[in-house]
């Protein structure tokens, strides 16, 4: 008993060795109103915010690189030259693919359970609609808008982007894609992988 106690007292705290420590908690303030700022002031504020979000991202990059290497080398871009991004990774380094299959299973489950392309999963509503005049007309208008949204989703590639985002969530804990206007499909999405973007939160903890 004395030997174990003495050994425990000599053990060092290994948490200081990790490179993915959480950044210190700071008091968040509301974002500044930049409407009347000059172009130079806006650029200075942008550069400041960009540096902050990049610094926060670099704390997690080593962990993301390890997840990409041992689970799915096709996910994540970390200082890789464009000439080598088209090269297929060597999957022989993955000795156990349970985690790889688990991320794909999670992605498929979220896609079919939350945003299935073959089943309705979105319903528009207005709080207190029953107390408004002509609620049946309002319901008909909402159903019409809802049908247009489903039609837009079917014509675009957003379901593909959602599936990619779900797989990124299972692997890295976060995912991102952007939706832009498109003259042919009305909207078009572009998926991102870890290392291609930085994210930040507002004073309420919402990603903005």
């Amino acid at each position: 008993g004395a030997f174990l106690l003495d050994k425990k007292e000599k053990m060092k705290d290994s948490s200081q060795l990790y490179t993915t420590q959480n950044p210190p908690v700071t008091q968040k303030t509301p974002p500044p109103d930049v409407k009347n700022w000059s172009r130079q002031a806006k650029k200075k504020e942008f550069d400041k915010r960009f540096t902050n979000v990049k610094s926060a991202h670099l704390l997690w990059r080593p962990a993301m690189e390890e997840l990409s290497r041992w689970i799915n080398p096709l996910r994540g871009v970390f200082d890789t030259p464009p000439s080598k991004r088209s090269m297929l990774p060597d999957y022989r380094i993955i000795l156990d693919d349970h985690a790889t299959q688990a991320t794909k299973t999670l992605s498929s489950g979220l896609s079919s359970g939350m945003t299935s392309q073959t089943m309705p999963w979105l319903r528009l509503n207005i709080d207190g609609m029953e107390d408004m005049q002509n609620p049946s007309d309002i319901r008909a208008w909402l159903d019409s808008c809802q049908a247009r949204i489903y039609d837009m989703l079917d014509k675009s590639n957003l379901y593909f982007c959602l599936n990619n985002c779900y797989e990124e969530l299972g692997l890295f804990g976060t995912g991102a894609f952007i939706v832009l206007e498109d003259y042919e499909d009305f909207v078009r999405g572009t998926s991102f992988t870890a290392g291609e973007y930085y994210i930040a939160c507002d004073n309420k903890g919402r990603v903005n």
Side-chain angles (χ1 to χ4, degrees):
F3 171 76
L4 294 177
L5 180 61
D6 180 66
K7 184 177 181 180
K8 183 177 181 181
E9 290 178 350
K10 293 181 179 179
M11 292 176 62
K12 296 182 180 180
D13 184 8
S14 61
S15 63
Q16 301 298 325
L17 302 177
Y18 292 108
T19 59
T20 57
Q21 297 177 15
N22 291 329
V25 179
T26 57
Q27 186 67 28
K28 296 182 179 180
T29 57
D33 185 6
V34 299
K35 293 181 180 180
N36 299 323
W37 286 18
S38 65
R39 184 181 181 88
Q40 183 177 3
K42 290 180 180 179
K43 183 180 184 303
K44 183 178 180 180
E45 177 66 21
F46 172 82
D47 291 340
K48 177 183 176 182
R49 295 191 63 186
F50 179 79
T51 301
N52 290 338
V53 295
K54 183 178 180 180
S55 298
H57 167 80
L58 291 177
L59 292 173
W60 297 98
R61 172 166 288 197
M64 290 181 175
E65 291 178 351
E66 289 294 300
L67 291 171
S68 173
R69 179 183 181 187
W70 298 110
I71 299 179
N72 191 345
L74 288 177
R75 296 288 177 179
V77 176
F78 309 102
D79 300 326
T80 304
S83 59
K84 294 185 178 181
R85 292 181 185 178
S86 59
M87 299 175 60
L88 292 177
D90 185 5
Y91 280 95
R92 291 176 296 181
I93 65 173
I94 301 179
L95 303 180
D96 189 334
D97 67 343
H98 278 79
T100 306
Q101 297 301 324
T103 58
K104 296 183 179 300
T105 301
L106 174 65
S107 174
S108 300
L110 290 174
S111 295
S112 60
M114 294 180 59
T115 54
S116 174
Q117 193 170 0
T118 59
M119 297 178 60
W121 55 271
L122 171 69
R123 181 169 176 79
L124 300 181
N125 200 5
I126 299 178
D127 293 338
M129 184 177 63
E130 295 78 8
D131 300 330
M132 299 179 182
Q133 295 182 355
N134 303 322
S136 59
D137 294 340
I138 298 175
R139 182 70 265 168
W141 177 76
L142 290 174
D143 290 341
S144 176
C145 294
Q146 183 176 299
R148 291 174 181 268
I149 293 175
Y150 277 122
D151 185 57
M152 178 267 297
L153 290 171
D154 289 335
K155 292 180 179 179
S156 68
N157 67 331
L158 294 187
Y159 283 108
F160 175 78
C161 292
L162 285 169
N163 188 75
N164 282 336
C165 186
Y166 294 149
E167 190 168 344
E168 291 274 323
L169 285 172
L171 181 56
F172 301 111
T174 184
F177 65 93
I178 188 173
V179 181
L180 300 174
E181 295 182 3
D182 186 85
Y183 289 106
E184 296 181 358
D185 302 327
F186 188 69
V187 294
R188 198 74 181 170
T190 300
S191 298
F192 300 112
T193 188
E196 290 184 323
Y197 63 91
Y198 305 137
I199 58 176
C201 299
D202 58 13
N203 60 314
K204 295 184 179 180
R206 298 173 300 191
V207 176
N208 61 355

